[in-house]
Amino acid sequence: VLERLRDTAVVDLPEIRVDREVDRQVRDMDLRLAQMGMRLDRYLELSGESIEQVRGSRRENAVQRVKLELVLSQLAEAEGLEIDEADVEREEARLAGDSKLTPEQRRRLHLAAHRDLLVRAAAQRALEIARGE
């Protein structure tokens, strides 16, 4: 349902959002490699890939992800979906864990938690609409 919604929607994709999503995916890759005891630069050396090739290979996935997020954000707005602040605070606490965050980091985490919960609620609403609810 979500793939069809994404694929049939017409949205303007801001290039900066796609670039930020690629950046996020590369950071995630770097973290996963670090958890396995390998640095990204060493992985690139062993794989024979450049960072530009890695970024390029993640671009289409980033485009699809950003497009879905934009479509779901539009659905959330159209449906008047709202997120309870207590839920946002719980999600923020879960994401922060034991980390000591600066006020700016805390603010950004709070906004990200709110956005993520809203997108999840919109995805749930899209499924309900598809079922005729």
Side-chain angles (χ1 to χ4, degrees):
V1 169
L2 296 178
E3 286 176 6
R4 182 155 175 130
L5 178 64
R6 177 199 66 210
D7 294 344
T8 58
V10 177
V11 294
D12 181 29
L13 285 176
E15 199 62 31
I16 188 131
R17 292 271 311 259
V18 175
D19 289 341
R20 285 180 184 157
E21 177 58 23
V22 171
D23 291 344
R24 187 196 64 74
Q25 290 181 18
V26 171
R27 280 192 312 272
D28 285 352
M29 177 185 181
D30 188 26
L31 287 172
R32 284 192 310 277
L33 287 168
Q35 289 172 341
M36 296 185 298
M38 183 178 284
R39 293 182 26 206
L40 179 60
D41 59 345
R42 180 70 178 141
Y43 169 83
L44 294 173
E45 182 182 317
L46 291 172
S47 70
E49 288 183 287
S50 68
I51 191 65
E52 292 79 19
Q53 289 171 315
V54 169
R55 290 179 61 78
S57 69
R58 282 158 175 69
R59 184 153 190 81
E60 182 57 31
N61 182 272
V63 165
Q64 298 303 321
R65 185 177 174 111
V66 168
K67 186 174 180 181
L68 181 59
E69 285 178 3
L70 289 172
V71 169
L72 290 173
S73 293
Q74 290 173 349
L75 177 63
E77 185 177 328
E79 291 289 313
L81 299 179
E82 295 182 10
I83 303 301
D84 185 84
E85 189 62 25
D87 292 337
V88 175
E89 290 171 4
R90 277 191 293 279
E91 181 69 1
E92 178 184 339
R94 185 187 71 76
L95 292 171
D98 295 332
S99 301
K100 301 290 183 207
L101 301 176
T102 66
E104 177 60 19
Q105 290 170 324
R106 178 73 61 188
R107 184 188 70 76
R108 289 189 359 221
L109 183 60
H110 185 86
L111 292 172
H114 184 272
R115 183 184 63 244
D116 290 348
L117 290 173
L118 190 59
V119 166
R120 283 188 228 160
Q124 182 61 42
R125 181 65 188 128
L127 295 173
E128 292 167 1
I129 291 168
R131 291 191 299 257
E133 298 173 13

